[in-house]
Amino acid sequence: MASMAQLMFDEFGQPFIVMREQENQKRMTGVEAVKSHILAARAVAGTLRTSLGPRGLDKMLVSPDGDVTITNDGATIMEKMDVQHHVARLMVELSKSQDDEIGDGTTGVVVLAGALLEESERLIDRGIHPIKVADGFDLACKKALETLDAISDRFPVEDRERLVETAQTSLGSKIVNRSCRQFAEIAVDAVLSVADIDKKDVNFEMIKVEGKIGGRLEDTVLVKGIIIDKTMSHPQMPKELKDAKVAILTCPFEPPKPKTKHKLDITSTEDFQKLREYERETFETMIKQVKDSGATLAICQWGFDDEANHLLQANDLPAVRWVGGPEIELLAIATNARIVPRFSELTEAKLGTAGLVREITFGTAKDRMLSIEQCPNNKAVTIFVRGGNKMIIDEAKRALHDALCVIRNLVRDSRIVYGGGSAELACAIEVAKEADKIEGIEQYAFRAFADALESIPMALAENSGLAQIDALSDLKAKQIETKNPHLGVDAVFAGTNDMKQQKVIETLLSKREQISLATQVVRMILKIDDVRVPDDERSPY
Amino acid sequence: MMRPPIILLKEGTENKQGKQQIISNINACQVVADSIRTTLGPRGLDKLIVDSKGQTTISNDGATILKLLDIVFPAASVMVDIAKSQDAEVGDGTTSVVVLASEMLKRVKPFIEDGVHPQLLIRSFSKACEEALSYLKELEIKISGEKELREMLVKCAATTLSSKLVSQERDFFANMVVDAVNTLDESLPLSMIGIKKVNGGNLNESRLVKGVAFQKAFSYAGFEMQPKHYTGVKVALLNIELELKAEKDNAEMRLNTVQDFQAVVDAEWNILYEKLQKIADSGANVVLSKLPIGDVATQWFADRDMFCAGRIHQDDLDRLLAACGGSILTTVSQIDDNVLGKCGKFYEQQVGSERYNFFEDCSKAQACTLLLRGGAEQFIAETERSLHDAIMIVRRAKKNDSIVAGGGAIEMELSKMLREKAKSIAGKEQFFWLAYARSFEIIPQQLCHNAGLDGTDILNKLRHRHAQGEKWSGIDIHREAVGDNLAACVWEPSIVKRNAITAATEALCLVLSIDQTVKNVRTPSGGQMPGLPGQ
């Protein structure tokens, strides 16, 4: 479509160009632009729709390098899809934002935004100004949030059992639902051990998630301590240490080197001998210093050569080399050790303690890892994930991350709503009721918002193999009749629609975020009426 | 007899002159204005621009859009310039200045076509502009009193924000912006308001930190062992690298014996340790440096329950300086209690997926930070631009405490007054004055157009009301009718309008006074000449 700006002619009949490379730009304006955006965004939402809920299916994504990812985590799917379209990318950002903030409900937010856009298309067709639609959505969103607050329950954060149930809801839709309970417990324990309940703060950097191929998902454990993918530096060092005293060193086992550029001239054999002697001496003093402090295990950030290795072994000092910075840090926190930058500063006070340090071996593989357990401070924990293949482990890690986030959100704000689409349905009913009271065109947008909210239970029902319309209208009638906002889609065929009984719990924070984020993005998309994109086909490069 | 043609210019040079030149310049300016016309007002829509690198920008801000359009046509770039100047001078009203200028150009086009000399037009337009400004001065309302002043600022900010993406939250942000500007000192330096964007979260989770907040810097091992919560904080602001390093870069040492080796190493360590000890002795418990703080120093501080962070941005350091006092040190030799910044509270907190450091209750409190949250990157970027506009408005309004009513009210009134004045002028200048007066009506007209209202109808109503002396009646977009905008609290600082009128008139005069363009061919190495057809 050539708009006026594409080509203009002056009085001499020559075309003149106002903008640089305008012939290489695609431009779309007005309703046409809004509609094409809605289409693009809906296409993205359509992809995710089937991943929603406990019966949602996974997507397999193959990257250009041939890496395979299997997941039903909305944010991951969106990220790996490598979306090109500029408006569709907004949807990707939307799910990413939900992921960053809440960590869970990344699929739901995109599905909801898609549904809102679908509804708004209908309204725009009727000639309602896009901003009017967006305004109406905003008002409706406020009403929906109020409803959410009203139907929310306080949640006893102290009650571990209830936390586990909540985590199970999040894990229910993931690949790990086979051992849902176990994963839920792991997630809850991990968060509770690092959480600062008073400040309502959970530092995820204190939870390390390690994975190793082999074993079953059920073998996944929570280690109150650290697991590092390293072994003792010398094969003959003991494989298991009890009540170890740990020295954490960030200096290499080698003669000190000044940072200033230097040069040592060796002119004679004696000098060379002396140097040799000096190096050996330094090694010995270093080892002696470590020994003297009372340490029984040395953990080094840097490496040391075979000679040092041998000396360490000869002096009965087990050591681990090349341990990464973040792990050093976690180790120091877990064992109450201080990180020591110089051998001369090593004292007994700076050592950490660990009840058990052992090398673990896996099956027939030669892989070994070092686990440091029974540490005095359980502010740092490791979740050790096992699974049949890399894809399962990666997916399990993502699922765990979601569950961890859910628990963290509960620690931050202990209010909950019930899942299974019950909260959405309750909001939809309230919003629809409110719509009739509104004057002006916003009324239409209000109703549309209510319809869009229903798309979540609808998708749930569809994915669970229920007759969607039947199930939904049935539920809606029941909710209105019994005034029970906890009725949702019985996706797992547990026999009851009451989500409170089924213990399908979601955090209020996450639901609120979903609804308001989706509304925001929809507003943003509706507000665009002019697009200029470099035209790939016509551009010279 | 044929005379050989005289070749004056190099071949390929574009040379245009005369009346046609002015007309085509006017056309070009209108194309530019057309591209941002629809962003005006609360129902204005946004533009999405993808540049050649694939970067997406969604914006409603006239200056931002024009900048991204990359305009090469010489005369049309005048429009970009006035938008930019409006942005730099008052920060808001960038769209209206361009729309106004293009409308003025449109109105003079028939005169040019009829053969009126441009200079005549320029002269009477300049005079009319002066007249308009003096009317504006008469009309503007002074606001006084502490409480009224604050209310005025909030209303002005809200008016600016009402046309932006964040319009639903405009009251929330308007208050936030006013609070932010109020923490600043006399000179209202913009750089003391830090804006931090964190993806994720909800718009109304954005908050104003009365103090300084910044993202946790890259940290070395040992960082997590440092305490993250202090009250009664003493901050040492440094510009020193606290790392083991070569003290002199291009020095080379020649060591004779191996023992010297150890001595040199020790010396290096001692240099660092001395620095650290001095900082610790000064009583500081938070150490921030613009340059990196290495792992050794991090662990050393952790050992002494002090907090440190390296690679802090200069802006953040400057804000800390303004908020907490103290001074930025480039050496630790004279560090003592006096040069340390002081603030009440320091803590680290999770914001979205990032961890942020907060400094609050600062002793001088002349800096603040806006922490913006929002769904998508483009969303926050646009919020930032909107808030920037609002901040600029509040800053200007704080110094110029007079306001006018927006929503087309002031434009209609000026138009009316100019029309009346025109009737007292004899000769053909009267037509020019009338044209100038008419062009002000474009603002309410465009507002109606963007909102999908009947522009002709509303404009007639407005003219009628203004003729009856209701000088503040303008368009009430939300009710889709005509109303008193002063009562409806659609307020704008008069400086915005003053600047817009001056800039638009000047642009008009500039375009009119050009009667010849000579565009030289670029040397072949310089690439293709933009704007030259058929190359």
Side-chain angles (χ1 to χ4, degrees):
Chain A
M1 155 216 49
S3 72
M4 198 179 52
Q6 295 292 57
L7 213 52
M8 286 185 52
F9 296 94
D10 64 7
E11 276 64 24
F12 310 110
Q14 287 173 329
F16 71 94
I17 291 165
V18 180
M19 283 155 234
R20 193 184 296 278
E21 290 174 2
Q22 67 176 9
E23 68 273 30
N24 297 330
Q25 277 183 349
K26 260 193 295 198
R27 185 169 184 233
M28 243 191 298
T29 49
V31 178
E32 193 187 347
V34 178
K35 283 204 169 165
S36 97
H37 292 162
I38 292 179
L39 200 68
R42 271 178 53 199
V44 174
T47 328
L48 285 192
R49 205 177 144 91
T50 51
S51 286
L52 195 76
R55 305 256 168 207
L57 297 177
D58 289 3
K59 307 270 172 280
M60 187 181 216
L61 303 145
V62 185
S63 78
D65 312 333
D67 283 343
V68 180
T69 312
I70 299 174
T71 184
N72 75 358
D73 180 55
T76 315
I77 298 174
M78 297 291 258
E79 199 189 311
K80 297 267 154 98
M81 276 199 331
D82 197 14
V83 177
Q84 279 290 319
H85 192 270
H86 41 274
V87 171
R89 272 219 295 265
L90 281 177
M91 300 292 267
V92 179
E93 295 246 0
L94 168 72
S95 93
K96 201 166 151 276
S97 152
Q98 172 86 8
D99 195 35
D100 286 349
E101 186 67 17
I102 303 293
D104 187 35
T106 48
T107 315
V109 68
V110 176
V111 173
L112 185 59
L116 280 172
L117 285 172
E118 198 173 336
E119 294 291 336
S120 55
E121 189 179 12
R122 217 167 293 159
L123 295 177
I124 291 170
D125 278 346
R126 286 196 204 165
I128 300 179
H129 197 280
I131 302 256
K132 273 266 173 204
V133 178
D135 282 350
F137 280 174
D138 269 335
L139 286 175
C141 171
K142 274 203 185 98
K143 177 72 199 165
L145 293 184
E146 271 170 35
T147 318
L148 272 183
D149 284 347
I151 62 169
S152 69
D153 275 352
R154 280 241 157 249
F155 185 82
V157 183
E158 305 75 35
D159 189 348
R160 179 169 171 275
E161 185 53 37
R162 300 289 302 279
L163 282 175
V164 173
E165 281 162 14
T166 320
Q168 272 177 317
T169 310
S170 164
L171 291 168
S173 60
K174 307 285 165 159
I175 203 163
V176 297
N177 62 6
R178 194 149 50 103
S179 41
C180 189
R181 169 92 202 168
Q182 186 194 354
F183 271 75
E185 280 182 10
I186 289 176
V188 170
D189 289 344
V191 172
L192 286 185
S193 47
V194 301
D196 188 337
I197 303 276
D198 296 333
K199 268 196 277 167
K200 303 197 167 190
D201 192 25
V202 179
N203 192 349
F204 272 173
E205 281 173 31
M206 296 291 130
I207 302 176
K208 191 166 172 269
V209 183
E210 270 287 344
K212 196 91 193 169
I213 299 173
R216 297 174 302 156
L217 271 178
E218 284 81 355
D219 294 335
T220 302
V221 282
L222 173 74
V223 181
K224 295 224 165 167
I226 313 294
I227 290 183
I228 42 179
D229 198 358
K230 294 279 168 328
T231 52
M232 295 289 182
S233 61
H234 196 285
Q236 282 174 317
M237 286 177 183
K239 298 276 177 274
E240 193 169 313
L241 289 172
K242 286 227 165 71
D243 295 320
K245 290 207 154 153
V246 190
I248 297 177
L249 302 164
T250 52
C251 41
F253 266 104
E254 56 182 49
K257 260 194 222 129
K259 296 263 175 184
T260 311
K261 216 163 148 196
H262 59 279
K263 197 171 171 185
L264 188 63
D265 286 338
I266 299 168
T267 43
S268 61
T269 359
E270 286 88 70
D271 277 355
F272 189 71
Q273 282 291 344
K274 242 193 253 167
L275 181 69
R276 182 79 199 82
E277 191 63 20
Y278 167 74
E279 283 196 352
R280 209 177 48 79
E281 249 171 51
T282 7
F283 277 136
E284 273 167 11
T285 14
M286 283 173 182
I287 291 168
K288 190 162 171 301
Q289 274 164 339
V290 178
K291 277 293 229 195
D292 283 351
S293 70
T296 52
L297 174 68
I299 299 205
C300 302
Q301 191 175 15
W302 307 109
F304 33 79
D305 56 18
D306 289 343
E307 190 177 352
N309 201 1
H310 167 78
L311 282 171
L312 284 167
Q313 153 70 9
N315 283 295
D316 279 339
L317 186 65
V320 187
R321 58 182 158 182
W322 295 120
V323 182
E327 281 146 352
I328 285 263
E329 191 154 29
L330 285 173
L331 266 175
I333 291 169
T335 59
N336 277 339
R338 287 295 185 180
I339 299 170
V340 181
R342 298 185 77 185
F343 286 100
S344 49
E345 284 164 32
L346 198 59
T347 58
E348 194 171 352
K350 294 199 172 175
L351 297 181
T353 51
L356 180 67
V357 178
R358 63 193 168 100
E359 248 180 40
I360 23 182
T361 45
F362 303 104
T364 53
K366 284 210 181 108
D367 281 347
R368 276 180 310 228
M369 288 174 118
L370 198 68
S371 110
I372 293 135
E373 293 165 56
Q374 299 170 17
C375 302
N377 189 347
N378 34 16
K379 280 265 167 206
V381 293
T382 307
I383 297 172
F384 191 55
V385 185
R386 303 301 310 275
N389 57 41
K390 194 165 161 288
M391 285 168 254
I392 293 246
I393 291 187
D394 286 347
E395 177 64 1
K397 277 188 187 172
R398 278 190 289 273
L400 266 173
H401 176 257
D402 281 10
L404 289 173
C405 288
V406 169
I407 310 289
R408 176 191 63 182
N409 294 338
L410 276 178
V411 172
R412 274 209 302 217
D413 183 342
S414 61
R415 283 174 298 170
I416 50 154
V417 290
Y418 295 93
S422 66
E424 283 89 353
L425 205 55
C427 288
I429 292 170
E430 280 302 310
V431 170
K433 220 187 274 168
E434 188 77 9
D436 297 337
K437 295 179 199 157
I438 288 189
E439 280 178 50
I441 304 176
E442 279 91 348
Q443 200 187 81
Y444 288 93
F446 239 77
R447 274 210 201 98
F449 192 87
D451 287 346
L453 277 174
E454 281 173 14
S455 70
I456 298 262
M458 187 102 83
L460 266 177
E462 190 183 340
N463 292 347
S464 314
L466 298 170
Q468 31 168 331
I469 308 270
D470 272 359
L472 195 69
S473 47
D474 196 31
L475 269 177
K476 213 164 146 187
K478 262 199 217 160
Q479 269 215 16
I480 295 175
E481 192 187 327
T482 57
K483 294 210 166 49
N484 180 358
H486 307 321
L487 295 179
V489 177
D490 180 17
V492 290
F493 307 117
T496 169
N497 277 330
D498 193 332
M499 291 297 138
K500 201 171 177 178
Q501 277 173 33
Q502 265 199 34
K503 289 168 183 161
V504 182
I505 302 168
E506 283 183 68
T507 57
L508 174 67
L509 222 53
S510 158
K511 267 278 121 64
R512 283 187 70 109
E513 193 78 17
Q514 274 187 4
I515 295 181
S516 51
L517 269 182
T519 317
Q520 259 175 36
V521 166
V522 167
R523 181 186 189 86
M524 188 158 185
I525 293 176
L526 288 181
K527 210 164 175 276
I528 301 167
D529 80 326
D530 191 348
V531 191
R532 289 166 195 272
V533 191
D535 192 342
D536 295 330
E537 288 151 35
R538 267 192 284 172
S539 92
Y541 359 90
Chain B
M1 189 177 94
M2 273 274 283
R3 252 197 256 172
I6 302 166
I7 295 174
L8 203 60
L9 301 165
K10 219 193 270 178
E11 202 199 332
T13 308
E14 204 180 341
N15 186 11
K16 285 198 250 172
Q17 51 189 322
K19 202 163 83 178
Q20 268 74 23
Q21 164 65 30
I22 300 180
I23 304 247
S24 78
N25 279 348
I26 292 176
N27 286 343
C29 290
Q30 265 165 324
V31 172
V32 175
D34 278 342
S35 61
I36 59 167
R37 199 176 276 281
T38 52
T39 62
L40 194 76
R43 289 281 166 76
L45 293 169
D46 291 2
K47 308 279 165 264
L48 186 148
I49 298 165
V50 182
D51 66 13
S52 51
K53 292 186 207 84
Q55 195 82 34
T56 310
T57 311
I58 297 175
S59 184
N60 179 282
D61 183 52
T64 310
I65 298 169
L66 287 181
K67 225 180 283 171
L68 289 168
L69 284 184
D70 199 4
I71 285 166
V72 288
F73 193 82
S77 57
V78 172
M79 302 302 258
V80 185
D81 286 343
I82 55 171
K84 275 189 195 159
S85 89
Q86 178 84 2
D87 195 32
E89 189 60 24
V90 281
D92 190 38
T94 47
T95 308
S96 40
V97 67
V98 174
V99 170
L100 191 60
S102 102
E103 181 66 14
M104 288 178 180
L105 285 169
K106 194 171 137 199
R107 299 258 170 223
V108 298
K109 204 163 121 188
F111 294 123
I112 298 283
E113 276 166 351
D114 290 347
V116 177
H117 195 275
Q119 281 304 335
L120 276 178
L121 287 164
I122 291 174
R123 200 179 322 139
S124 55
F125 273 38
S126 312
K127 238 186 270 164
C129 172
E130 265 168 45
E131 198 72 16
L133 290 180
S134 72
Y135 286 144
L136 186 66
K137 206 158 189 72
E138 279 169 36
L139 283 170
E140 64 189 21
I141 300 170
K142 279 245 174 234
I143 303 281
S144 56
E146 186 102 344
K147 195 165 157 269
E148 284 81 4
L149 205 61
R150 193 196 141 83
E151 252 171 46
M152 181 273 278
L153 293 177
V154 172
K155 279 171 194 161
C156 288
T159 308
T160 310
L161 290 174
S162 68
S163 64
K164 310 286 183 190
L165 200 52
V166 294
S167 62
Q168 283 296 317
E169 309 286 343
R170 60 174 176 271
D171 293 330
F172 171 74
F173 280 112
N175 275 307
M176 186 191 253
V177 165
V178 173
D179 284 341
V181 175
N182 277 340
T183 55
L184 301 182
D185 62 7
E186 282 297 294
S187 59
L188 303 177
L190 188 62
S191 62
M192 286 302 129
I193 301 180
I195 298 186
K196 299 283 171 194
K197 298 177 278 187
V198 190
N199 274 13
N202 202 329
L203 256 191
N204 43 25
E205 279 166 40
S206 306
R207 64 184 179 128
L208 171 73
V209 181
K210 290 206 170 163
V212 182
F214 50 83
Q215 199 184 338
K216 188 194 97 170
F218 172 80
S219 62
Y220 287 95
F223 180 80
E224 293 299 339
M225 292 156 76
Q226 295 172 344
K228 301 287 162 54
H229 205 276
Y230 291 105
T231 46
V233 190
K234 288 184 178 170
V235 195
L237 305 168
L238 308 174
N239 191 2
I240 308 172
E241 202 172 337
L242 293 174
E243 212 166 358
L244 265 189
K245 56 156 192 173
E247 285 300 317
K248 288 274 180 289
D249 279 339
N250 37 14
E252 190 180 297
M253 280 183 299
R254 201 163 277 247
L255 305 171
N256 286 329
T257 61
V258 278
Q259 279 76 15
D260 288 355
F261 220 78
Q262 186 68 40
V264 172
V265 173
D266 282 345
E268 278 182 355
W269 281 83
N270 284 338
I271 292 175
L272 178 64
Y273 274 15
E274 256 169 48
K275 281 186 198 165
L276 297 179
Q277 191 61 47
K278 272 205 178 118
I279 296 170
D281 287 346
S282 72
N285 42 19
V286 173
V287 182
L288 302 173
S289 177
K290 202 182 131 194
L291 294 171
I293 293 183
D295 48 351
V296 177
T298 309
Q299 289 143 19
W300 196 90
F301 285 130
D303 253 2
R304 281 154 189 79
D305 284 341
M306 288 161 71
F307 176 86
C308 73
R311 294 178 208 265
I312 308 283
H313 283 285
Q314 181 72 47
D315 306 350
D316 292 326
L317 268 190
D318 286 345
R319 277 193 282 279
L320 266 174
L321 200 64
C324 307
S327 50
I328 295 179
L329 304 173
T330 45
T331 163
V332 286
S333 56
Q334 262 138 23
I335 189 167
D336 61 15
D337 198 47
N338 295 328
V339 295
L340 297 181
K342 287 162 195 76
C343 79
K345 246 194 333 197
F346 163 77
Y347 57 94
E348 190 187 280
Q349 203 184 42
Q350 186 92 23
V351 179
S353 58
E354 313 275 4
R355 291 197 81 79
Y356 263 72
N357 295 327
F358 290 89
F359 292 85
E360 280 178 21
D361 297 337
C362 304
S363 55
K364 278 164 77 188
Q366 278 168 359
C368 58
T369 308
L370 295 171
L371 208 56
L372 298 185
R373 311 297 317 275
E377 203 181 311
Q378 288 91 348
F379 195 92
I380 312 185
E382 175 64 3
T383 311
E384 187 193 359
R385 280 191 290 272
S386 312
L387 285 192
H388 174 260
D389 281 5
I391 291 173
M392 292 295 282
I393 283 294
V394 173
R395 277 179 63 206
R396 296 302 296 196
K398 227 182 147 178
K399 284 183 192 160
N400 291 282
D401 47 2
S402 49
I403 55 121
V404 293
I410 180 70
E411 283 86 2
M412 285 310 286
E413 185 63 16
L414 285 178
S415 169
K416 187 197 95 181
M417 290 175 124
L418 285 170
R419 230 182 349 249
E420 273 164 19
K421 171 86 184 168
K423 285 177 193 150
S424 67
I425 295 172
K428 61 183 169 191
E429 273 191 42
Q430 190 187 28
F431 290 110
F432 309 154
W433 276 70
L434 282 174
Y436 190 77
R438 262 311 274 282
S439 51
F440 278 100
E441 289 181 356
I442 184 66
I443 300 281
Q445 197 184 339
Q446 191 65 45
L447 280 175
C448 290
H449 181 82
N450 290 352
L453 307 178
D454 184 351
T456 329
D457 186 34
I458 298 250
L459 221 57
N460 273 332
K461 274 188 201 155
L462 279 177
R463 279 195 209 113
H464 172 70
R465 288 222 186 177
H466 279 269
Q468 282 182 330
E470 289 176 40
K471 57 180 181 180
W472 294 126
S473 52
I475 308 167
D476 187 337
I477 298 279
H478 297 285
R479 288 198 300 110
E480 306 196 340
V482 174
D484 185 344
N485 272 353
L486 193 71
C489 295
V490 183
W491 294 3
E492 285 183 79
S494 58
I495 177 107
V496 174
K497 293 294 165 204
R498 192 173 315 142
N499 206 57
I501 295 170
T502 330
T505 314
E506 274 167 11
L508 167 80
C509 297
L510 188 65
V511 172
L512 286 185
S513 59
I514 304 168
D515 76 334
Q516 184 169 15
T517 318
V518 180
K519 238 197 274 183
N520 287 323
V521 235
R522 232 183 253 176
T523 44
S525 63
Q528 201 186 23
M529 173 82 179
L532 260 187
Q535 264 199 5

